[in-house]
Amino acid sequence: MTAKSIVLATGARARELPGLEPDGKLVWNYKHALVPPHMPKKLLVIGSGAIGIEFASFFNTLGAKTTVVEVMDRVLPVEDAEISAFAKKQFVKQGMTIMEKAAVKKLDRKGSTVTAHIEVGGKVETQEFDTVISAVGIVGNTEGWAWKRRGSRSTAPMSSRTNTAAPGSRASVPSAIWPARPGWRTRPAMRA
């Protein structure tokens, strides 16, 4: 195969956190949320990055009572602080509950509900939900890397190998995984 740029896009998978593994019924990853088995009434979204906040906004608009838990000090943490503040204000105005500097420590699944143990300010509180979306990001396989012939002007669009679903994210590929090829170089993506 000969080309100016070659992109390997082998796909991605949802990141799973210990104790928060999706089952497709009560706890969903982003793939489950795209084809939901039911409409949530009381929804917890773990993570307020691009994927989490999109699902939170979508299901909130459809009528789900939505709570977003973000471990960082603001929603949309990879965006500008001004944009994050404006977005949070709008989401709260739409009826969402936003919990920043908070972490879901444990999920207890009982029948048709999930009890979430959420740590906020050093204290753990419990809340009950009928659906949880664990939207803490995507783990890439080998997507996001292209070989570009030295001297070529074109660059293929690429995404981050360790994709966190965050615009502007960068990654590096260890040389043990992608050994250097004579006359070729690898470049990480710069998303717009």
Side-chain angles (χ1 to χ4, degrees):
M1 203 174 202
T2 304
K4 287 182 180 180
S5 299
I6 299 172
V7 177
L8 298 178
T10 60
R13 59 184 163 77
R15 181 179 299 176
E16 291 186 9
L17 298 177
L20 308 178
E21 295 88 355
D23 58 17
K25 296 173 186 167
L26 299 175
V27 181
W28 302 344
N29 61 27
Y30 76 95
K31 289 184 179 182
H32 300 127
L34 289 171
V35 285
H38 64 272
M39 174 60 195
K41 292 181 182 140
K42 191 170 181 193
L43 172 68
L44 170 64
V45 178
I46 304 170
S48 73
I51 292 174
I53 213 70
E54 184 174 4
F55 282 122
S57 178
F58 174 75
F59 284 109
N60 186 70
T61 300
L62 290 178
K65 183 174 178 176
T66 306
T67 299
V68 177
V69 172
E70 174 56 54
V71 74
M72 301 299 284
D73 61 349
R74 59 191 171 99
V75 296
L76 297 168
V78 299
E79 303 301 331
D80 293 335
E82 185 179 356
I83 291 171
S84 293
F86 179 78
K88 178 185 176 183
K89 184 177 176 182
Q90 294 304 310
F91 294 138
V92 170
K93 191 175 180 180
Q94 294 169 14
M96 274 193 241
T97 301
I98 307 285
M99 301 174 78
E100 298 162 326
K101 293 184 185 176
V104 177
K105 294 297 187 181
K106 183 179 168 189
L107 296 176
D108 294 327
R109 304 163 208 223
K110 299 174 194 162
S112 62
T113 62
V114 177
T115 302
H117 301 265
I118 305 168
E119 183 179 339
V120 183
K123 296 179 183 177
V124 176
E125 61 180 70
T126 59
Q127 292 187 37
E128 209 167 272
F129 299 90
D130 68 346
T131 308
V132 175
I133 298 177
S134 180
V136 291
I138 299 171
V139 178
N141 294 331
T142 57
E143 83 279 8
W145 287 91
W147 284 288
K148 181 181 172 188
R149 188 80 162 150
R150 284 193 181 131
S152 171
R153 290 187 190 184
S154 66
T155 303
M158 300 174 273
S159 63
S160 168
R161 182 180 181 278
T162 57
N163 186 350
T164 59
S169 61
R170 297 183 190 187
S172 62
V173 175
S175 58
I177 298 172
W178 297 105
R181 288 170 173 76
W184 293 81
R185 59 193 165 99
T186 58
R187 292 184 49 187
M190 290 300 295
R191 287 197 204 169

Short mmCIF file of all heavy atoms in Angstrom, two decimals, residues 111-168:
data_model
loop_
_atom_site.label_atom_id
_atom_site.label_comp_id
_atom_site.label_asym_id
_atom_site.label_seq_id
_atom_site.Cartn_x
_atom_site.Cartn_y
_atom_site.Cartn_z
N GLY A 111 -32.23 -4.75 42.40
CA GLY A 111 -33.45 -4.81 41.60
C GLY A 111 -33.41 -3.85 40.43
O GLY A 111 -32.60 -3.99 39.53
N SER A 112 -34.28 -2.85 40.46
CA SER A 112 -34.35 -1.90 39.35
C SER A 112 -33.75 -0.54 39.69
O SER A 112 -33.99 0.43 38.98
CB SER A 112 -35.81 -1.72 38.92
OG SER A 112 -36.56 -1.19 40.00
N THR A 113 -32.96 -0.48 40.78
CA THR A 113 -32.33 0.79 41.15
C THR A 113 -30.84 0.60 41.44
O THR A 113 -30.37 -0.50 41.68
CB THR A 113 -32.99 1.42 42.39
OG1 THR A 113 -32.83 0.53 43.49
CG2 THR A 113 -34.45 1.72 42.16
N VAL A 114 -30.15 1.73 41.42
CA VAL A 114 -28.72 1.76 41.73
C VAL A 114 -28.51 2.80 42.82
O VAL A 114 -28.97 3.94 42.68
CB VAL A 114 -27.88 2.16 40.49
CG1 VAL A 114 -26.40 2.24 40.85
CG2 VAL A 114 -28.09 1.20 39.34
N THR A 115 -27.87 2.41 43.90
CA THR A 115 -27.51 3.36 44.95
C THR A 115 -26.07 3.77 44.70
O THR A 115 -25.17 2.94 44.67
CB THR A 115 -27.65 2.75 46.35
OG1 THR A 115 -29.00 2.31 46.53
CG2 THR A 115 -27.29 3.76 47.43
N ALA A 116 -25.87 5.08 44.51
CA ALA A 116 -24.54 5.61 44.25
C ALA A 116 -23.99 6.23 45.53
O ALA A 116 -24.68 7.00 46.20
CB ALA A 116 -24.61 6.66 43.15
N HIS A 117 -22.76 5.87 45.86
CA HIS A 117 -22.05 6.45 47.00
C HIS A 117 -21.13 7.52 46.42
O HIS A 117 -20.14 7.20 45.78
CB HIS A 117 -21.26 5.37 47.74
CG HIS A 117 -22.14 4.26 48.24
ND1 HIS A 117 -22.64 4.24 49.52
CD2 HIS A 117 -22.62 3.15 47.63
CE1 HIS A 117 -23.38 3.15 49.69
NE2 HIS A 117 -23.38 2.48 48.54
N ILE A 118 -21.50 8.78 46.65
CA ILE A 118 -20.80 9.91 46.04
C ILE A 118 -20.05 10.68 47.11
O ILE A 118 -20.64 11.14 48.09
CB ILE A 118 -21.80 10.85 45.32
CG1 ILE A 118 -22.64 10.05 44.31
CG2 ILE A 118 -21.07 12.00 44.65
CD1 ILE A 118 -23.84 10.80 43.76
N GLU A 119 -18.74 10.82 46.90
CA GLU A 119 -17.92 11.58 47.84
C GLU A 119 -17.81 13.03 47.38
O GLU A 119 -17.38 13.31 46.27
CB GLU A 119 -16.51 10.98 47.94
CG GLU A 119 -15.64 11.69 48.96
CD GLU A 119 -14.26 11.10 49.09
OE1 GLU A 119 -14.06 9.93 48.71
OE2 GLU A 119 -13.38 11.82 49.56
N VAL A 120 -18.23 13.93 48.27
CA VAL A 120 -18.17 15.37 47.99
C VAL A 120 -17.60 16.04 49.24
O VAL A 120 -18.15 15.90 50.32
CB VAL A 120 -19.57 15.96 47.70
CG1 VAL A 120 -19.47 17.43 47.34
CG2 VAL A 120 -20.28 15.19 46.63
N GLY A 121 -16.49 16.75 49.07
CA GLY A 121 -15.89 17.46 50.19
C GLY A 121 -15.50 16.56 51.35
O GLY A 121 -15.63 16.95 52.51
N GLY A 122 -15.07 15.34 51.07
CA GLY A 122 -14.64 14.42 52.11
C GLY A 122 -15.75 13.63 52.76
O GLY A 122 -15.50 12.73 53.56
N LYS A 123 -17.01 13.94 52.44
CA LYS A 123 -18.15 13.22 53.00
C LYS A 123 -18.79 12.39 51.89
O LYS A 123 -18.86 12.80 50.75
CB LYS A 123 -19.18 14.19 53.57
CG LYS A 123 -18.66 14.99 54.74
CD LYS A 123 -19.72 15.94 55.23
CE LYS A 123 -19.17 16.79 56.36
NZ LYS A 123 -20.14 17.78 56.81
N VAL A 124 -19.27 11.21 52.27
CA VAL A 124 -19.93 10.33 51.30
C VAL A 124 -21.43 10.39 51.52
O VAL A 124 -21.91 10.18 52.63
CB VAL A 124 -19.42 8.88 51.42
CG1 VAL A 124 -20.18 7.97 50.46
CG2 VAL A 124 -17.92 8.81 51.14
N GLU A 125 -22.15 10.69 50.45
CA GLU A 125 -23.61 10.68 50.50
C GLU A 125 -24.13 9.64 49.54
O GLU A 125 -23.45 9.28 48.57
CB GLU A 125 -24.17 12.07 50.18
CG GLU A 125 -23.82 12.60 48.79
CD GLU A 125 -24.41 13.97 48.53
OE1 GLU A 125 -23.94 14.94 49.15
OE2 GLU A 125 -25.33 14.06 47.69
N THR A 126 -25.30 9.12 49.81
CA THR A 126 -25.88 8.11 48.93
C THR A 126 -27.12 8.69 48.26
O THR A 126 -27.88 9.43 48.87
CB THR A 126 -26.25 6.82 49.69
OG1 THR A 126 -27.19 7.14 50.72
CG2 THR A 126 -25.03 6.17 50.29
N GLN A 127 -27.28 8.34 46.99
CA GLN A 127 -28.46 8.74 46.23
C GLN A 127 -28.88 7.55 45.39
O GLN A 127 -28.06 6.74 44.98
CB GLN A 127 -28.15 9.93 45.32
CG GLN A 127 -27.87 11.21 46.05
CD GLN A 127 -27.74 12.38 45.09
OE1 GLN A 127 -28.45 12.46 44.09
NE2 GLN A 127 -26.83 13.29 45.40
N GLU A 128 -30.17 7.47 45.13
CA GLU A 128 -30.71 6.36 44.35
C GLU A 128 -31.09 6.83 42.95
O GLU A 128 -31.67 7.89 42.77
CB GLU A 128 -31.94 5.79 45.06
CG GLU A 128 -32.15 4.33 44.77
CD GLU A 128 -33.17 3.73 45.73
OE1 GLU A 128 -32.77 3.28 46.81
OE2 GLU A 128 -34.36 3.72 45.35
N PHE A 129 -30.75 5.99 41.96
CA PHE A 129 -31.03 6.28 40.55
C PHE A 129 -31.58 5.04 39.89
O PHE A 129 -31.35 3.92 40.36
CB PHE A 129 -29.75 6.72 39.83
CG PHE A 129 -29.13 7.96 40.40
CD1 PHE A 129 -28.18 7.87 41.41
CD2 PHE A 129 -29.49 9.21 39.95
CE1 PHE A 129 -27.62 9.00 41.96
CE2 PHE A 129 -28.93 10.36 40.48
CZ PHE A 129 -27.98 10.26 41.50
N ASP A 130 -32.29 5.21 38.77
CA ASP A 130 -32.72 4.03 38.02
C ASP A 130 -31.76 3.71 36.88
O ASP A 130 -31.77 2.61 36.34
CB ASP A 130 -34.16 4.16 37.52
CG ASP A 130 -34.36 5.22 36.45
OD1 ASP A 130 -33.46 6.06 36.25
OD2 ASP A 130 -35.42 5.21 35.80
N THR A 131 -30.89 4.69 36.52
CA THR A 131 -29.92 4.49 35.44
C THR A 131 -28.66 5.30 35.74
O THR A 131 -28.75 6.41 36.24
CB THR A 131 -30.50 4.94 34.08
OG1 THR A 131 -31.76 4.32 33.87
CG2 THR A 131 -29.57 4.59 32.94
N VAL A 132 -27.52 4.70 35.41
CA VAL A 132 -26.24 5.39 35.54
C VAL A 132 -25.52 5.28 34.20
O VAL A 132 -25.48 4.20 33.61
CB VAL A 132 -25.36 4.75 36.64
CG1 VAL A 132 -23.98 5.38 36.69
CG2 VAL A 132 -26.05 4.84 38.00
N ILE A 133 -24.97 6.40 33.72
CA ILE A 133 -24.12 6.36 32.53
C ILE A 133 -22.70 6.67 32.99
O ILE A 133 -22.43 7.74 33.52
CB ILE A 133 -24.55 7.39 31.46
CG1 ILE A 133 -25.96 7.10 30.96
CG2 ILE A 133 -23.55 7.38 30.29
CD1 ILE A 133 -26.49 8.11 29.95
N SER A 134 -21.83 5.69 32.81
CA SER A 134 -20.42 5.89 33.12
C SER A 134 -19.76 6.43 31.86
O SER A 134 -19.45 5.69 30.95
CB SER A 134 -19.78 4.58 33.56
OG SER A 134 -18.42 4.79 33.85
N ALA A 135 -19.60 7.75 31.83
CA ALA A 135 -19.10 8.41 30.62
C ALA A 135 -17.75 9.04 30.90
O ALA A 135 -17.53 10.21 30.65
CB ALA A 135 -20.10 9.46 30.16
N VAL A 136 -16.85 8.27 31.45
CA VAL A 136 -15.55 8.81 31.83
C VAL A 136 -14.56 8.78 30.68
O VAL A 136 -13.39 9.05 30.86
CB VAL A 136 -14.96 8.08 33.05
CG1 VAL A 136 -15.76 8.40 34.29
CG2 VAL A 136 -14.90 6.59 32.81
N GLY A 137 -14.99 8.46 29.50
CA GLY A 137 -14.12 8.55 28.34
C GLY A 137 -14.00 7.27 27.56
O GLY A 137 -14.63 6.27 27.86
N ILE A 138 -13.15 7.35 26.56
CA ILE A 138 -12.94 6.26 25.64
C ILE A 138 -11.47 5.89 25.66
O ILE A 138 -10.61 6.75 25.74
CB ILE A 138 -13.34 6.69 24.21
CG1 ILE A 138 -14.82 7.06 24.18
CG2 ILE A 138 -13.02 5.61 23.20
CD1 ILE A 138 -15.23 7.69 22.88
N VAL A 139 -11.21 4.62 25.59
CA VAL A 139 -9.84 4.14 25.47
C VAL A 139 -9.65 3.71 24.04
O VAL A 139 -10.38 2.86 23.54
CB VAL A 139 -9.57 2.95 26.42
CG1 VAL A 139 -8.15 2.45 26.23
CG2 VAL A 139 -9.81 3.36 27.86
N GLY A 140 -8.68 4.30 23.35
CA GLY A 140 -8.43 3.95 21.97
C GLY A 140 -7.63 2.67 21.86
O GLY A 140 -6.92 2.29 22.78
N ASN A 141 -7.75 2.02 20.75
CA ASN A 141 -6.90 0.87 20.48
C ASN A 141 -5.64 1.39 19.82
O ASN A 141 -4.70 1.76 20.49
CB ASN A 141 -7.65 -0.14 19.60
CG ASN A 141 -8.84 -0.73 20.33
OD1 ASN A 141 -8.83 -0.84 21.54
ND2 ASN A 141 -9.86 -1.08 19.60
N THR A 142 -5.62 1.48 18.51
CA THR A 142 -4.47 2.10 17.84
C THR A 142 -4.92 3.26 16.98
O THR A 142 -4.16 3.73 16.15
CB THR A 142 -3.74 1.07 16.96
OG1 THR A 142 -4.67 0.54 16.02
CG2 THR A 142 -3.12 -0.03 17.80
N GLU A 143 -6.16 3.73 17.17
CA GLU A 143 -6.62 4.83 16.34
C GLU A 143 -5.83 6.08 16.65
O GLU A 143 -5.28 6.24 17.71
CB GLU A 143 -8.11 5.08 16.52
CG GLU A 143 -8.49 5.93 17.71
CD GLU A 143 -8.53 5.17 19.02
OE1 GLU A 143 -8.12 4.01 19.06
OE2 GLU A 143 -8.95 5.76 20.00
N GLY A 144 -5.79 6.96 15.70
CA GLY A 144 -5.20 8.25 15.96
C GLY A 144 -3.76 8.41 15.53
O GLY A 144 -3.15 9.41 15.81
N TRP A 145 -3.21 7.45 14.84
CA TRP A 145 -1.83 7.60 14.42
C TRP A 145 -1.73 7.42 12.93
O TRP A 145 -2.42 6.60 12.35
CB TRP A 145 -0.93 6.62 15.16
CG TRP A 145 -0.80 7.09 16.54
CD1 TRP A 145 -1.60 6.74 17.59
CD2 TRP A 145 0.08 8.08 17.02
NE1 TRP A 145 -1.26 7.46 18.69
CE2 TRP A 145 -0.23 8.28 18.38
CE3 TRP A 145 1.09 8.83 16.46
CZ2 TRP A 145 0.45 9.20 19.17
CZ3 TRP A 145 1.78 9.72 17.26
CH2 TRP A 145 1.46 9.91 18.59
N ALA A 146 -0.91 8.21 12.33
CA ALA A 146 -0.72 8.13 10.88
C ALA A 146 0.77 8.14 10.59
O ALA A 146 1.54 8.76 11.30
CB ALA A 146 -1.39 9.31 10.19
N TRP A 147 1.13 7.39 9.60
CA TRP A 147 2.50 7.49 9.12
C TRP A 147 2.49 8.49 7.98
O TRP A 147 1.66 8.43 7.09
CB TRP A 147 2.99 6.14 8.61
CG TRP A 147 3.33 5.22 9.72
CD1 TRP A 147 4.40 5.30 10.55
CD2 TRP A 147 2.59 4.08 10.12
NE1 TRP A 147 4.37 4.28 11.46
CE2 TRP A 147 3.27 3.51 11.22
CE3 TRP A 147 1.41 3.48 9.69
CZ2 TRP A 147 2.83 2.38 11.87
CZ3 TRP A 147 0.97 2.36 10.33
CH2 TRP A 147 1.68 1.82 11.41
N LYS A 148 3.42 9.42 8.04
CA LYS A 148 3.49 10.45 7.01
C LYS A 148 4.89 10.41 6.41
O LYS A 148 5.87 10.45 7.13
CB LYS A 148 3.20 11.80 7.63
CG LYS A 148 3.22 12.93 6.64
CD LYS A 148 2.94 14.24 7.34
CE LYS A 148 3.15 15.37 6.37
NZ LYS A 148 3.08 16.65 7.01
N ARG A 149 4.94 10.34 5.14
CA ARG A 149 6.22 10.33 4.44
C ARG A 149 6.91 11.68 4.63
O ARG A 149 6.28 12.72 4.50
CB ARG A 149 5.98 10.07 2.95
CG ARG A 149 7.24 9.85 2.17
CD ARG A 149 7.68 8.44 2.38
NE ARG A 149 8.62 8.06 1.35
CZ ARG A 149 9.56 7.18 1.55
NH1 ARG A 149 9.67 6.59 2.71
NH2 ARG A 149 10.37 6.84 0.60
N ARG A 150 8.16 11.68 5.02
CA ARG A 150 8.90 12.93 5.21
C ARG A 150 8.87 13.74 3.92
O ARG A 150 9.03 13.21 2.84
CB ARG A 150 10.33 12.65 5.62
CG ARG A 150 10.42 12.24 7.06
CD ARG A 150 11.85 12.27 7.55
NE ARG A 150 11.85 11.83 8.93
CZ ARG A 150 12.64 10.91 9.43
NH1 ARG A 150 13.52 10.32 8.68
NH2 ARG A 150 12.56 10.58 10.70
N GLY A 151 8.64 15.04 4.07
CA GLY A 151 8.61 15.92 2.92
C GLY A 151 7.20 16.11 2.36
O GLY A 151 6.96 16.99 1.57
N SER A 152 6.24 15.28 2.78
CA SER A 152 4.87 15.41 2.30
C SER A 152 4.20 16.61 2.98
O SER A 152 4.44 16.88 4.14
CB SER A 152 4.09 14.14 2.62
OG SER A 152 2.73 14.32 2.36
N ARG A 153 3.34 17.31 2.26
CA ARG A 153 2.67 18.47 2.85
C ARG A 153 1.34 18.12 3.49
O ARG A 153 0.86 18.83 4.34
CB ARG A 153 2.43 19.53 1.77
CG ARG A 153 3.71 20.16 1.30
CD ARG A 153 3.42 21.28 0.37
NE ARG A 153 4.66 21.71 -0.24
CZ ARG A 153 4.75 22.71 -1.05
NH1 ARG A 153 3.68 23.39 -1.36
NH2 ARG A 153 5.90 23.03 -1.57
N SER A 154 0.72 17.06 3.06
CA SER A 154 -0.61 16.75 3.58
C SER A 154 -0.50 15.98 4.90
O SER A 154 0.43 15.23 5.12
CB SER A 154 -1.41 15.92 2.58
OG SER A 154 -0.82 14.66 2.42
N THR A 155 -1.47 16.21 5.76
CA THR A 155 -1.55 15.49 7.02
C THR A 155 -2.98 14.98 7.16
O THR A 155 -3.92 15.75 7.05
CB THR A 155 -1.22 16.40 8.21
OG1 THR A 155 0.08 16.94 7.99
CG2 THR A 155 -1.23 15.63 9.51
N ALA A 156 -3.13 13.71 7.41
CA ALA A 156 -4.46 13.14 7.57
C ALA A 156 -5.02 13.53 8.93
O ALA A 156 -4.28 13.71 9.88
CB ALA A 156 -4.39 11.62 7.46
N PRO A 157 -6.34 13.67 9.04
CA PRO A 157 -6.92 13.97 10.35
C PRO A 157 -6.69 12.78 11.28
O PRO A 157 -6.83 11.63 10.88
CB PRO A 157 -8.41 14.15 10.06
CG PRO A 157 -8.63 13.52 8.74
CD PRO A 157 -7.33 13.56 8.01
N MET A 158 -6.30 13.08 12.51
CA MET A 158 -5.99 12.03 13.46
C MET A 158 -6.60 12.36 14.80
O MET A 158 -6.82 13.50 15.13
CB MET A 158 -4.47 11.89 13.61
CG MET A 158 -3.76 11.54 12.32
SD MET A 158 -1.99 11.58 12.54
CE MET A 158 -1.63 13.29 12.22
N SER A 159 -6.82 11.36 15.62
CA SER A 159 -7.28 11.56 16.99
C SER A 159 -6.25 10.99 17.94
O SER A 159 -5.32 10.33 17.52
CB SER A 159 -8.64 10.88 17.20
OG SER A 159 -8.50 9.50 17.04
N SER A 160 -6.44 11.22 19.20
CA SER A 160 -5.46 10.80 20.20
C SER A 160 -5.50 9.30 20.43
O SER A 160 -6.56 8.71 20.52
CB SER A 160 -5.73 11.53 21.50
OG SER A 160 -5.00 10.97 22.53
N ARG A 161 -4.32 8.66 20.55
CA ARG A 161 -4.26 7.23 20.82
C ARG A 161 -4.89 6.90 22.16
O ARG A 161 -5.52 5.89 22.35
CB ARG A 161 -2.81 6.74 20.79
CG ARG A 161 -2.71 5.26 21.02
CD ARG A 161 -1.27 4.81 20.99
NE ARG A 161 -1.21 3.40 21.18
CZ ARG A 161 -1.27 2.81 22.37
NH1 ARG A 161 -1.40 3.50 23.45
NH2 ARG A 161 -1.21 1.50 22.45
N THR A 162 -4.71 7.76 23.14
CA THR A 162 -5.30 7.54 24.45
C THR A 162 -6.51 8.44 24.61
O THR A 162 -6.70 9.09 25.61
CB THR A 162 -4.28 7.83 25.58
OG1 THR A 162 -3.82 9.17 25.41
CG2 THR A 162 -3.13 6.86 25.54
N ASN A 163 -7.35 8.44 23.61
CA ASN A 163 -8.49 9.33 23.49
C ASN A 163 -9.29 9.41 24.78
O ASN A 163 -9.72 8.41 25.31
CB ASN A 163 -9.37 8.80 22.36
CG ASN A 163 -10.51 9.72 22.04
OD1 ASN A 163 -10.78 10.66 22.77
ND2 ASN A 163 -11.18 9.44 20.95
N THR A 164 -9.48 10.60 25.28
CA THR A 164 -10.32 10.82 26.44
C THR A 164 -11.57 11.58 26.03
O THR A 164 -12.22 12.18 26.85
CB THR A 164 -9.58 11.62 27.52
OG1 THR A 164 -9.19 12.86 26.96
CG2 THR A 164 -8.39 10.85 28.04
N ALA A 165 -11.83 11.58 24.74
CA ALA A 165 -12.98 12.29 24.18
C ALA A 165 -12.87 13.78 24.45
O ALA A 165 -13.84 14.46 24.59
CB ALA A 165 -14.28 11.74 24.74
N ALA A 166 -11.66 14.26 24.53
CA ALA A 166 -11.44 15.66 24.83
C ALA A 166 -10.78 16.35 23.65
O ALA A 166 -9.73 15.92 23.20
CB ALA A 166 -10.56 15.80 26.05
N PRO A 167 -11.40 17.43 23.14
CA PRO A 167 -10.77 18.15 22.06
C PRO A 167 -9.38 18.65 22.47
O PRO A 167 -9.19 19.08 23.59
CB PRO A 167 -11.72 19.33 21.82
CG PRO A 167 -13.02 18.88 22.39
CD PRO A 167 -12.67 17.98 23.53
N GLY A 168 -8.45 18.57 21.55
CA GLY A 168 -7.12 19.07 21.82
C GLY A 168 -6.22 18.14 22.58
O GLY A 168 -5.09 18.48 22.92
#
